[in-house]
Coordinates of all heavy atoms in Angstrom, one line a residue:
M42 N 117.6 -109.3 89.8 CA 117.3 -107.9 90.1 C 115.8 -107.9 90.3 O 115.0 -108.3 89.5 CB 117.7 -107.0 88.9 CG 117.5 -105.6 89.2 SD 119.0 -104.6 88.8 CE 118.7 -104.3 87.0
T43 N 115.5 -107.2 91.4 CA 114.1 -107.1 91.8 C 113.6 -105.7 91.5 O 114.2 -104.7 91.8 CB 113.9 -107.4 93.3 OG1 114.5 -108.6 93.6 CG2 112.4 -107.4 93.7
K44 N 112.4 -105.7 90.9 CA 111.8 -104.4 90.6 C 111.0 -103.9 91.8 O 110.1 -104.6 92.3 CB 110.9 -104.5 89.3 CG 110.2 -103.2 89.0 CD 109.5 -103.4 87.6 CE 108.5 -102.2 87.5 NZ 107.8 -102.4 86.2
V45 N 111.3 -102.7 92.2 CA 110.6 -102.1 93.4 C 110.0 -100.8 92.9 O 110.6 -99.9 92.4 CB 111.6 -101.8 94.5 CG1 110.8 -101.2 95.7 CG2 112.3 -103.1 95.0
T46 N 108.7 -100.8 93.1 CA 108.0 -99.5 92.8 C 108.1 -98.6 93.9 O 107.9 -98.9 95.1 CB 106.5 -99.8 92.5 OG1 106.4 -100.8 91.4 CG2 105.8 -98.5 92.1
L47 N 108.5 -97.3 93.6 CA 108.6 -96.3 94.6 C 107.3 -95.6 94.8 O 106.6 -95.3 93.9 CB 109.7 -95.3 94.2 CG 111.1 -95.9 94.1 CD1 112.0 -94.8 93.5 CD2 111.6 -96.3 95.5
D48 N 107.0 -95.3 96.1 CA 105.8 -94.6 96.5 C 106.3 -93.1 96.6 O 107.1 -92.7 97.4 CB 105.4 -95.1 97.8 CG 104.1 -94.4 98.3 OD1 103.4 -93.9 97.4 OD2 103.9 -94.4 99.5
I49 N 105.8 -92.3 95.7 CA 106.2 -90.9 95.6 C 105.1 -89.9 96.0 O 103.9 -90.1 95.5 CB 106.7 -90.6 94.2 CG1 107.8 -91.6 93.7 CG2 107.2 -89.1 94.1 CD1 108.3 -91.4 92.3
E50 N 105.4 -89.0 96.8 CA 104.4 -88.0 97.2 C 105.0 -86.6 97.3 O 106.2 -86.5 97.5 CB 103.8 -88.3 98.6 CG 104.8 -88.4 99.7 CD 104.3 -88.9 101.0 OE1 103.1 -89.3 101.0 OE2 105.0 -88.7 102.0
H51 N 104.2 -85.6 97.0 CA 104.6 -84.2 97.2 C 105.0 -83.9 98.6 O 104.4 -84.5 99.5 CB 103.5 -83.2 96.8 CG 103.4 -83.1 95.3 ND1 104.2 -82.2 94.5 CD2 102.6 -83.7 94.4 CE1 103.8 -82.3 93.3 NE2 102.9 -83.2 93.1
A52 N 106.0 -83.1 98.8 CA 106.4 -82.7 100.1 C 107.0 -81.3 100.1 O 107.6 -80.9 99.2 CB 107.5 -83.7 100.6
D53 N 106.7 -80.6 101.2 CA 107.3 -79.3 101.4 C 108.6 -79.4 102.2 O 108.6 -79.8 103.3 CB 106.4 -78.3 102.1 CG 105.2 -77.9 101.3 OD1 105.4 -77.8 100.0 OD2 104.1 -77.8 101.8
L54 N 109.7 -79.2 101.5 CA 111.0 -79.4 102.2 C 111.7 -78.1 102.6 O 111.4 -77.1 102.1 CB 112.0 -80.1 101.1 CG 111.4 -81.4 100.5 CD1 112.4 -81.9 99.5 CD2 111.1 -82.4 101.5
D55 N 112.5 -78.2 103.6 CA 113.2 -77.0 104.1 C 114.4 -76.7 103.2 O 115.4 -77.4 103.1 CB 113.7 -77.3 105.5 CG 112.6 -77.5 106.5 OD1 111.5 -76.8 106.3 OD2 112.7 -78.2 107.5
G56 N 114.3 -75.6 102.5 CA 115.4 -75.1 101.7 C 116.3 -74.2 102.5 O 116.1 -74.0 103.7
S57 N 117.2 -73.5 101.9 CA 118.1 -72.7 102.6 C 117.4 -71.4 103.2 O 117.8 -71.0 104.2 CB 119.2 -72.2 101.6 OG 119.9 -73.3 101.1
Y58 N 116.5 -70.9 102.4 CA 115.8 -69.7 102.9 C 114.3 -69.8 103.1 O 113.7 -69.1 103.9 CB 116.0 -68.6 101.8 CG 117.5 -68.3 101.5 CD1 118.1 -68.8 100.4 CD2 118.3 -67.6 102.4 CE1 119.5 -68.6 100.2 CE2 119.6 -67.4 102.2 CZ 120.2 -67.9 101.1 OH 121.5 -67.7 100.9
S59 N 113.7 -70.8 102.5 CA 112.3 -70.9 102.6 C 111.9 -72.4 102.3 O 112.8 -73.2 101.9 CB 111.6 -70.0 101.7 OG 111.9 -70.3 100.3
T60 N 110.6 -72.6 102.4 CA 110.2 -74.0 102.0 C 110.2 -74.2 100.5 O 109.9 -73.3 99.8 CB 108.7 -74.1 102.5 OG1 108.7 -74.0 103.9 CG2 108.2 -75.5 102.2
V61 N 110.7 -75.3 100.1 CA 110.9 -75.6 98.7 C 110.0 -76.9 98.4 O 110.0 -77.8 99.1 CB 112.3 -75.9 98.4 CG1 112.5 -76.3 96.9 CG2 113.2 -74.7 98.7
E62 N 109.3 -76.8 97.3 CA 108.5 -77.9 96.9 C 109.4 -79.0 96.4 O 110.3 -78.8 95.6 CB 107.5 -77.5 95.8 CG 106.5 -78.5 95.5 CD 105.5 -78.1 94.4 OE1 105.8 -77.0 93.8 OE2 104.5 -78.8 94.1
G63 N 109.0 -80.2 96.8 CA 109.8 -81.4 96.4 C 109.0 -82.6 96.5 O 107.8 -82.6 96.6
I64 N 109.7 -83.7 96.5 CA 109.0 -85.0 96.7 C 109.7 -85.9 97.7 O 110.9 -85.7 98.0 CB 109.0 -85.8 95.3 CG1 110.4 -85.9 94.8 CG2 108.0 -85.1 94.3 CD1 110.5 -86.8 93.5
R65 N 108.8 -86.7 98.4 CA 109.3 -87.7 99.3 C 109.1 -89.0 98.7 O 108.0 -89.3 98.2 CB 108.6 -87.5 100.6 CG 109.1 -88.6 101.7 CD 108.5 -88.3 103.0 NE 108.8 -87.0 103.6 CZ 108.0 -86.0 103.8 NH1 106.7 -86.2 103.5 NH2 108.4 -84.9 104.3
V66 N 110.1 -89.8 98.6 CA 110.0 -91.1 97.9 C 110.3 -92.2 98.9 O 111.3 -92.2 99.6 CB 111.1 -91.2 96.8 CG1 111.1 -92.5 96.1 CG2 110.9 -90.0 95.8
N67 N 109.4 -93.2 99.0 CA 109.5 -94.3 99.9 C 109.7 -95.6 99.2 O 109.0 -95.9 98.2 CB 108.1 -94.4 100.7 CG 107.8 -93.1 101.5 OD1 108.6 -92.7 102.4 ND2 106.8 -92.5 101.1
C68 N 110.7 -96.3 99.7 CA 110.9 -97.7 99.2 C 109.7 -98.6 99.8 O 109.5 -98.7 101.0 CB 112.2 -98.2 99.7 SG 112.5 -99.9 99.3
T69 N 109.0 -99.2 98.9 CA 107.9 -100.0 99.3 C 108.3 -101.3 99.9 O 107.5 -102.1 100.4 CB 106.9 -100.3 98.1 OG1 107.6 -100.9 97.1 CG2 106.3 -99.0 97.7
K70 N 109.6 -101.6 99.8 CA 110.1 -102.9 100.4 C 110.6 -102.7 101.8 O 110.3 -103.5 102.7 CB 111.3 -103.4 99.5 CG 110.8 -104.4 98.5 CD 111.9 -105.4 98.2 CE 111.4 -106.7 97.6 NZ 112.4 -107.5 97.0
C71 N 111.4 -101.7 102.1 CA 111.9 -101.6 103.4 C 111.5 -100.3 104.2 O 111.8 -100.2 105.4 CB 113.5 -101.6 103.4 SG 114.2 -100.1 102.7
G72 N 110.8 -99.4 103.5 CA 110.3 -98.2 104.1 C 111.3 -97.1 104.2 O 110.9 -96.0 104.7
H73 N 112.5 -97.3 103.7 CA 113.4 -96.2 103.6 C 112.9 -95.1 102.8 O 112.2 -95.3 101.7 CB 114.8 -96.7 103.1 CG 115.8 -95.6 103.1 ND1 116.5 -95.2 104.3 CD2 116.4 -94.8 102.1 CE1 117.4 -94.3 104.0 NE2 117.3 -94.0 102.7
S74 N 113.1 -93.8 103.2 CA 112.6 -92.7 102.3 C 113.7 -91.7 102.1 O 114.7 -91.6 102.8 CB 111.5 -92.0 103.0 OG 111.9 -91.4 104.2
V75 N 113.7 -91.1 100.9 CA 114.6 -90.0 100.6 C 113.7 -88.8 100.1 O 112.6 -89.0 99.7 CB 115.6 -90.4 99.4 CG1 116.4 -91.6 99.9 CG2 114.8 -90.7 98.1
E76 N 114.3 -87.6 100.2 CA 113.6 -86.4 99.8 C 114.5 -85.7 98.8 O 115.7 -85.6 99.0 CB 113.4 -85.5 101.0 CG 112.4 -86.1 102.0 CD 112.3 -85.3 103.3 OE1 113.2 -84.5 103.6 OE2 111.3 -85.5 104.0
V77 N 113.9 -85.2 97.8 CA 114.6 -84.4 96.8 C 113.8 -83.1 96.5 O 112.6 -83.1 96.5 CB 114.9 -85.2 95.5 CG1 115.8 -86.4 95.8 CG2 113.6 -85.6 94.8
F78 N 114.5 -82.1 96.1 CA 113.9 -80.8 95.7 C 113.4 -81.0 94.3 O 114.0 -81.7 93.4 CB 114.9 -79.7 95.7 CG 115.3 -79.4 97.1 CD1 116.7 -79.2 97.4 CD2 114.4 -79.2 98.2 CE1 117.1 -78.9 98.7 CE2 114.8 -78.9 99.4 CZ 116.2 -78.8 99.7
G79 N 112.3 -80.4 94.0 CA 111.7 -80.4 92.7 C 110.7 -81.6 92.5 O 110.8 -82.5 93.3
T80 N 109.8 -81.4 91.6 CA 108.8 -82.4 91.4 C 108.7 -83.0 90.0 O 107.8 -83.7 89.6 CB 107.4 -81.8 91.7 OG1 107.2 -80.7 90.8 CG2 107.3 -81.3 93.2
S81 N 109.7 -82.7 89.2 CA 109.7 -83.2 87.8 C 110.1 -84.7 87.8 O 110.5 -85.3 88.8 CB 110.7 -82.4 87.0 OG 112.0 -82.7 87.4
D82 N 109.9 -85.3 86.6 CA 110.4 -86.7 86.4 C 111.9 -86.8 86.6 O 112.3 -87.9 87.1 CB 109.9 -87.2 85.1 CG 110.4 -86.4 83.9 OD1 110.7 -85.2 84.1 OD2 110.5 -87.0 82.8
A83 N 112.6 -85.8 86.3 CA 114.1 -85.8 86.6 C 114.3 -85.9 88.1 O 115.3 -86.6 88.5 CB 114.7 -84.6 86.0
S84 N 113.5 -85.2 88.9 CA 113.7 -85.3 90.3 C 113.4 -86.7 90.8 O 114.1 -87.2 91.7 CB 112.8 -84.3 91.0 OG 113.1 -83.0 90.6
A85 N 112.4 -87.3 90.2 CA 112.0 -88.6 90.6 C 113.1 -89.6 90.3 O 113.4 -90.5 91.0 CB 110.7 -89.0 90.0
R86 N 113.7 -89.4 89.1 CA 114.8 -90.3 88.7 C 116.0 -90.1 89.6 O 116.7 -91.1 89.9 CB 115.2 -90.1 87.2 CG 114.2 -90.7 86.2 CD 114.8 -90.8 84.8 NE 115.0 -89.5 84.3 CZ 114.1 -88.8 83.6 NH1 113.0 -89.3 83.4 NH2 114.4 -87.6 83.1
R87 N 116.3 -88.9 90.0 CA 117.4 -88.6 90.9 C 117.1 -89.3 92.3 O 118.0 -89.9 92.9 CB 117.5 -87.1 91.1 CG 118.9 -86.7 91.8 CD 119.2 -85.3 91.6 NE 118.4 -84.4 92.4 CZ 117.5 -83.5 91.9 NH1 117.3 -83.4 90.6 NH2 116.8 -82.7 92.7
A88 N 115.9 -89.3 92.7 CA 115.5 -89.9 93.9 C 115.7 -91.4 93.8 O 116.2 -92.1 94.8 CB 114.0 -89.6 94.3
A89 N 115.4 -92.0 92.7 CA 115.6 -93.4 92.5 C 117.1 -93.8 92.6 O 117.4 -94.8 93.1 CB 115.0 -93.8 91.1
V90 N 118.0 -92.9 92.0 CA 119.4 -93.2 92.2 C 119.8 -93.1 93.6 O 120.6 -94.0 94.1 CB 120.2 -92.2 91.3 CG1 121.7 -92.3 91.6 CG2 119.9 -92.4 89.8
M91 N 119.3 -92.1 94.3 CA 119.7 -92.0 95.8 C 119.2 -93.2 96.5 O 119.9 -93.7 97.4 CB 119.0 -90.7 96.4 CG 119.6 -89.4 95.9 SD 118.7 -88.0 96.4 CE 118.7 -88.2 98.2
M92 N 118.0 -93.7 96.2 CA 117.4 -94.8 96.9 C 118.3 -96.0 96.6 O 118.6 -96.8 97.6 CB 116.0 -95.1 96.4 CG 115.3 -96.2 97.1 SD 115.0 -95.7 98.8 CE 113.6 -94.7 98.7
K93 N 118.8 -96.2 95.4 CA 119.7 -97.3 95.1 C 120.9 -97.3 96.0 O 121.4 -98.3 96.4 CB 120.0 -97.3 93.6 CG 120.6 -98.6 93.1 CD 120.8 -98.5 91.6 CE 121.4 -99.8 91.0 NZ 120.6 -101.0 91.2
E94 N 121.4 -96.1 96.3 CA 122.6 -95.9 97.1 C 122.4 -96.1 98.6 O 123.2 -96.6 99.3 CB 123.3 -94.6 96.8 CG 123.8 -94.4 95.4 CD 124.3 -93.0 95.1 OE1 124.0 -92.1 95.9 OE2 124.9 -92.8 94.1
E95 N 121.2 -95.6 99.0 CA 120.9 -95.6 100.4 C 120.1 -96.7 101.0 O 120.3 -97.1 102.2 CB 120.1 -94.3 100.7 CG 120.9 -93.0 100.5 CD 120.1 -91.8 101.0 OE1 119.1 -91.9 101.7 OE2 120.5 -90.7 100.6
C96 N 119.3 -97.3 100.2 CA 118.4 -98.4 100.7 C 119.3 -99.6 101.0 O 120.1 -100.0 100.3 CB 117.4 -98.8 99.6 SG 116.5 -100.3 100.0
P97 N 119.1 -100.1 102.2 CA 119.9 -101.3 102.6 C 119.7 -102.5 101.7 O 120.5 -103.4 101.7 CB 119.4 -101.6 104.0 CG 118.1 -100.9 104.2 CD 118.2 -99.7 103.3
L98 N 118.6 -102.5 101.0 CA 118.3 -103.6 100.0 C 118.6 -103.2 98.6 O 118.4 -104.0 97.7 CB 116.9 -104.1 100.2 CG 116.4 -104.4 101.6 CD1 114.9 -104.6 101.5 CD2 117.1 -105.6 102.1
G99 N 119.1 -102.0 98.4 CA 119.0 -101.3 97.1 C 119.9 -101.9 96.0 O 119.6 -101.8 94.9
L100 N 121.0 -102.4 96.4 CA 122.0 -102.7 95.4 C 121.5 -103.8 94.4 O 122.0 -103.8 93.2 CB 123.3 -103.2 96.0 CG 124.1 -102.1 96.8 CD1 125.3 -102.7 97.4 CD2 124.5 -101.0 95.8
S101 N 120.6 -104.6 94.8 CA 120.1 -105.6 93.9 C 118.7 -105.3 93.3 O 118.0 -106.1 92.7 CB 120.0 -107.0 94.6 OG 119.2 -106.9 95.7
N102 N 118.3 -104.0 93.6 CA 116.9 -103.6 93.2 C 117.0 -102.7 92.0 O 117.9 -101.9 91.8 CB 116.2 -102.9 94.3 CG 115.8 -103.9 95.4 OD1 115.8 -105.1 95.2 ND2 115.4 -103.4 96.6
Y103 N 115.9 -102.8 91.2 CA 115.7 -101.7 90.2 C 114.5 -100.9 90.7 O 113.4 -101.5 91.0 CB 115.4 -102.4 88.8 CG 114.8 -101.4 87.9 CD1 115.6 -100.4 87.3 CD2 113.4 -101.4 87.6 CE1 115.1 -99.5 86.4 CE2 112.9 -100.5 86.7 CZ 113.7 -99.5 86.1 OH 113.2 -98.6 85.2
Y104 N 114.7 -99.6 90.8 CA 113.6 -98.8 91.3 C 112.8 -98.1 90.2 O 113.4 -97.5 89.3 CB 114.2 -97.7 92.2 CG 114.7 -98.3 93.5 CD1 116.0 -98.6 93.7 CD2 113.7 -98.6 94.5 CE1 116.4 -99.2 94.9 CE2 114.1 -99.2 95.6 CZ 115.5 -99.5 95.9 OH 115.9 -100.1 97.0
D105 N 111.5 -98.4 90.2 CA 110.6 -97.9 89.2 C 109.9 -96.7 89.7 O 109.2 -96.8 90.8 CB 109.6 -99.0 88.8 CG 108.7 -98.6 87.8 OD1 108.9 -97.6 87.1 OD2 107.6 -99.3 87.6
I106 N 109.9 -95.6 89.0 CA 109.2 -94.4 89.5 C 107.8 -94.3 89.0 O 107.1 -93.4 89.2 CB 109.9 -93.1 89.0 CG1 110.0 -93.0 87.5 CG2 111.3 -93.0 89.7 CD1 110.5 -91.6 87.0
G107 N 107.3 -95.4 88.4 CA 106.0 -95.5 88.0 C 105.7 -94.5 86.9 O 106.5 -94.2 86.0
D108 N 104.5 -93.8 87.0 CA 104.1 -92.9 86.0 C 104.3 -91.4 86.5 O 103.7 -90.5 86.0 CB 102.6 -93.1 85.5 CG 101.7 -93.0 86.7 OD1 102.2 -92.8 87.9 OD2 100.5 -93.2 86.5
W109 N 105.2 -91.3 87.4 CA 105.5 -90.0 87.9 C 106.1 -89.1 86.8 O 107.0 -89.5 86.1 CB 106.4 -90.0 89.1 CG 106.6 -88.7 89.8 CD1 107.6 -87.7 89.5 CD2 105.8 -88.1 90.8 NE1 107.4 -86.7 90.3 CE2 106.3 -86.8 91.1 CE3 104.7 -88.6 91.5 CZ2 105.7 -86.0 92.1 CZ3 104.1 -87.8 92.5 CH2 104.7 -86.5 92.7
G110 N 105.7 -87.8 86.8 CA 106.3 -86.9 85.9 C 105.5 -86.7 84.6 O 104.6 -86.1 84.4
Ligands
ZN469 ZN1 114.4 -100.3 100.4

């Protein structure tokens, strides 16, 4: 299992009615990115789970959210 540190940044995302504050999370290995609503550590952990499912390299990776949150 390879540890991959995620690059996390604030992002304004399109919500149903207005812009919603969220985060954009980039895989530092392949450049794949996911976006989630909210900026808490729970949001970052949710993004890490999404990344594991979506990243083409993800199944053998452990995603570290660093000191986010
Ligand atoms: Zn990746």
Side-chain angles (χ1 to χ4, degrees):
M42 189 134 81
T43 306
K44 179 173 163 179
V45 178
T46 302
L47 294 172
D48 181 25
I49 306 177
E50 60 187 9
H51 281 277
D53 290 326
L54 307 178
D55 292 329
S57 301
Y58 301 103
S59 63
T60 301
V61 177
E62 191 179 7
I64 53 175
R65 181 176 297 113
V66 178
N67 300 296
C68 174
T69 55
K70 265 207 155 167
C71 73
H73 184 75
S74 66
V75 298
E76 295 173 339
V77 296
F78 296 130
T80 60
S81 66
D82 56 336
S84 299
R86 282 197 295 272
R87 194 162 73 244
V90 172
M91 286 171 61
M92 186 64 80
K93 194 173 177 65
E94 292 172 349
E95 293 185 14
C96 172
L98 308 172
L100 291 177
S101 59
N102 287 344
Y103 166 75
Y104 288 100
D105 181 17
I106 62 173
D108 56 1
W109 188 268

